[in-house]
Amino acid sequence: MNPILYFSTNGDPQKVDFKQALLAGQAPDKGLYMPELIPRLDADLIASFSDMTYPEIAYEVLRPYVGELIHEDRLIALLKDAYDFEVPLEEVFPGKHIMRLDRGPTCSFKDFAARFMGRTIEHFLKEEGRSMVILTATSGDTGSAVAHAFYGLEKIDVVVLFPRDEVTVRQRKQMTTLGDNVHPLAVRGKFDDCQALVKRAFTDPELARMNLSSANSINIGRLLPQAVYYFYAASRLGPEGGRLVFSVPSGNFGDLMGGLIAMRMGLPMRRFIAATNENDEFPRFMKTGVYNPIRPSRNCISNAMNVGHPSNLARLFSLYGGWMDETGVVKRAPDLAAMKGDLFAVSITDAETRVAMKDVYERYSIVLEPHGAVGWAGLMRYLHEVEDWNPCVSLETADPAKFPKEIVDLMGIEPKRDAISSLDLLVESYGHIGDDYGELKRELFSIFGDRT
Ligand SMILES: *Cc1c(COP(=O)(O)O)cnc(C)c1O
């Protein structure tokens, strides 16, 4: 088996292997890494997934991308350790399902991606006997998923910068109650300030020996594991399976990209619904062929999807023969007709999101939080406009207990989850800095100063 190489969406002639792409994060020309080949799995192998566990399916889907770089016993062990939680499928009404991707330790679907990335990075660092400091800025969910995914791993420390006044107490506690190799820093500023500090640290030669790396959403190690749960859903829906329709609540479009990769790998699919909130730059592009980022992004109740320029569109365009650079400029148009065949894009307002939450609860006693409700509302819109009798799966990307406010207001119930309510009892520990780069640097030296 020839190893799969990865190319940059910005066209850098240098191709790299999985390990290089994983440890680098972004390509040197600021493009995103994409696999040069998306292997098609045998139909018999896909059919046999119905007898396999989630980690076993993950192994079959991910193995070609990793190649010989991780021994198969090691890879299987790593996947078992990463995916030790349930992935429930609930039928809402006949043929229409919800897949809950919220059972991981930080209660959002970002755990699927972050846990694979953390474990593969740890594997390669141990092999080489080197250490790394992951430096990442977060507005909430990503930071906690990354902190948990790397918590307790060897050879890796995590520094998470978050805006002091812009995260919820629970989001903060998911980062500040871990300790060990996780070092949270509250920044007196906004998310953009945190990101600017991180960017500056990456280009600072005096910090080079700390071996800084980002664990951001564009890392290939976060993209690929998001192809797995689409295969899992198909395997569990059994003979009814047919050609599936998936509705994907989308912000940065990593989740949807995972689905499109699964489709290219041979998953029997009809279509994806790309459901955004009021940040509708992608649905508009699909309608008009013109792409305009939304700056600044609009604030919606599905706040993890408030993205005015999704970075994974660079990958999506590349998959359809186009080229979008990192700033959102379209340098070569993609095959829009082919995109329209595979994708139905829809924007859902906050008002429609609330109606969907109330409606599924009153009719079917199913509780959705705002992100999952955007997906469900997108599916309902699709079924209204397009006659499609295929089985449908709408993704619920977070636990309702993580976003209780809207649920209490709309339904008068309070969703609970032990992993979240138990946070209230834990003791926090974190540093404080202003938005001044000198302070970040002093803090990094005081934690890692003795590293050579
Ligand atoms: C990040 C996130 C999304 C959006 O996923 P993308 O891959 O960025 O499109 C949706 N829901 C929740 C709860 C999230 O945290």
Side-chain angles (χ1 to χ4, degrees):
M1 180 168 62
N2 280 334
I4 291 179
L5 294 178
Y6 296 81
F7 67 91
S8 163
T9 53
N10 277 350
D12 190 329
Q14 183 73 37
K15 300 194 174 128
V16 300
D17 67 15
F18 174 72
K19 175 177 167 181
Q20 291 165 314
L22 177 77
L23 296 179
Q26 196 169 34
D29 63 357
K30 299 202 166 83
L32 274 58
Y33 283 119
M34 270 291 277
E36 200 174 26
L37 170 85
I38 298 179
R40 241 188 132 73
L41 300 183
D42 208 64
D44 291 341
L45 177 66
I46 295 175
S48 72
F49 287 175
S50 56
D51 297 321
M52 293 186 193
T53 62
Y54 191 95
E56 287 166 350
I57 296 172
Y59 175 75
E60 296 298 338
V61 174
L62 295 171
R63 193 181 49 134
Y65 296 102
V66 178
E68 311 289 313
L69 293 170
I70 303 179
H71 188 271
E72 58 183 89
D73 296 341
R74 181 72 204 112
L75 184 59
I76 244 289
L78 181 155
L79 292 166
K80 275 193 181 141
D81 183 53
Y83 302 119
D84 58 353
F85 50 87
E86 277 181 86
V87 186
L89 278 150
E90 292 169 15
E91 189 165 68
V92 182
F93 60 89
K96 309 293 174 263
H97 308 261
I98 299 276
M99 176 157 60
R100 288 202 184 268
L101 301 175
D102 60 355
R103 305 277 96 192
T106 70
C107 313
S108 94
F109 91 105
K110 291 196 168 62
D111 286 326
F112 283 87
R115 287 168 74 80
F116 175 76
M117 180 175 67
R119 282 156 181 77
T120 47
I121 290 179
E122 179 194 45
H123 172 86
F124 290 125
L125 292 176
K126 272 190 180 160
E127 210 173 63
E128 293 190 358
R130 59 183 180 118
S131 60
M132 187 179 259
V133 175
I134 304 278
L135 182 63
T136 191
T138 184
S139 56
D141 275 0
T142 301
S144 57
V146 167
H148 269 263
F150 286 92
Y151 170 63
L153 298 186
E154 289 174 48
K155 302 284 181 194
I156 308 177
D157 283 89
V158 189
V159 178
V160 194
L161 272 61
F162 62 89
R164 190 186 63 178
D165 300 322
E166 288 181 9
V167 298
T168 67
V169 173
R170 281 180 172 171
Q171 280 177 324
R172 189 184 72 222
K173 286 198 151 190
Q174 283 188 319
M175 302 181 267
T176 59
T177 56
L178 292 165
D180 194 23
N181 61 334
V182 174
H183 314 276
L185 284 177
V187 176
R188 216 173 322 110
K190 301 178 73 66
F191 172 63
D192 291 341
D193 299 317
C194 300
Q195 213 157 23
L197 289 172
V198 166
K199 282 203 176 134
R200 187 141 169 219
F202 282 125
T203 57
D204 186 340
E206 288 179 48
L207 300 180
R209 66 191 169 80
M210 289 178 192
N211 199 10
L212 296 180
S213 176
S214 75
N216 56 21
S217 60
I218 57 168
N219 193 299
I220 192 75
R222 281 183 60 175
L223 178 70
L224 297 171
Q226 296 179 152
V228 176
Y229 38 76
Y230 295 94
F231 281 102
Y232 177 81
S235 77
R236 291 322 190 250
L237 294 179
E240 178 203 29
R243 302 220 300 149
L244 286 167
V245 175
F246 283 100
S247 184
V248 187
S250 295
N252 221 358
F253 283 68
D255 199 353
L256 184 77
M257 266 311 296
L260 289 168
I261 287 177
M263 181 158 86
R264 295 274 171 115
M265 291 181 80
L267 182 70
M269 283 279 316
R270 170 77 186 93
R271 226 174 196 185
F272 288 98
I273 298 155
T276 69
N277 59 24
E278 292 168 30
N279 291 282
D280 61 350
E281 62 281 352
F282 184 69
R284 271 172 190 279
F285 168 76
M286 291 288 278
K287 206 169 279 164
T288 63
V290 180
Y291 181 71
N292 283 312
I294 296 178
R295 298 194 172 106
S297 57
R298 297 179 184 134
N299 282 330
C300 296
I301 55 172
S302 47
N303 65 18
M305 304 186 340
N306 292 339
V307 183
H309 169 49
S311 44
N312 273 299
L313 289 187
R315 287 191 170 114
L316 185 65
F317 273 46
S318 156
L319 199 63
Y320 290 90
W323 175 12
M324 176 187 279
D325 77 4
E326 70 283 359
T327 63
V329 173
V330 181
K331 303 216 162 180
R332 188 172 58 240
D335 182 345
L336 195 58
M339 271 168 114
K340 283 184 177 163
D342 293 344
L343 293 171
F344 177 89
V346 55
S347 161
I348 301 294
T349 64
D350 273 358
E352 290 168 318
T353 307
R354 292 193 175 99
V355 168
M357 289 170 74
K358 217 167 143 59
D359 186 63
V360 259
Y361 182 64
E362 284 172 0
R363 287 205 217 188
Y364 311 108
S365 306
I366 285 189
V367 181
L368 294 177
E369 53 68 57
H371 306 82
V374 167
W376 181 259
L379 175 60
M380 292 302 110
R381 176 89 63 85
Y382 171 72
L383 293 174
H384 188 72
E385 287 182 21
V386 180
E387 202 162 311
D388 192 331
W389 302 103
N390 283 291
C392 302
V393 181
S394 187
L395 308 189
E396 172 54 294
T397 48
D399 191 308
K402 216 172 172 175
F403 297 93
K405 186 188 170 300
E406 294 294 330
I407 295 167
V408 174
D409 290 354
L410 289 167
M411 288 100 111
I413 52 163
E414 193 173 351
K416 289 231 160 46
R417 168 106 172 242
D418 285 351
I420 290 172
S421 47
S422 64
L423 281 173
D424 297 344
L425 304 170
L426 299 177
V427 178
E428 291 185 271
S429 161
Y430 58 103
H432 288 270
I433 59 170
D435 59 2
D436 167 56
Y437 180 66
E439 283 186 65
L440 172 63
K441 206 160 157 175
R442 272 196 299 281
E443 195 70 33
L444 291 174
F445 274 113
S446 85
I447 310 174
F448 307 111
D450 53 349
R451 290 230 174 129
T452 51

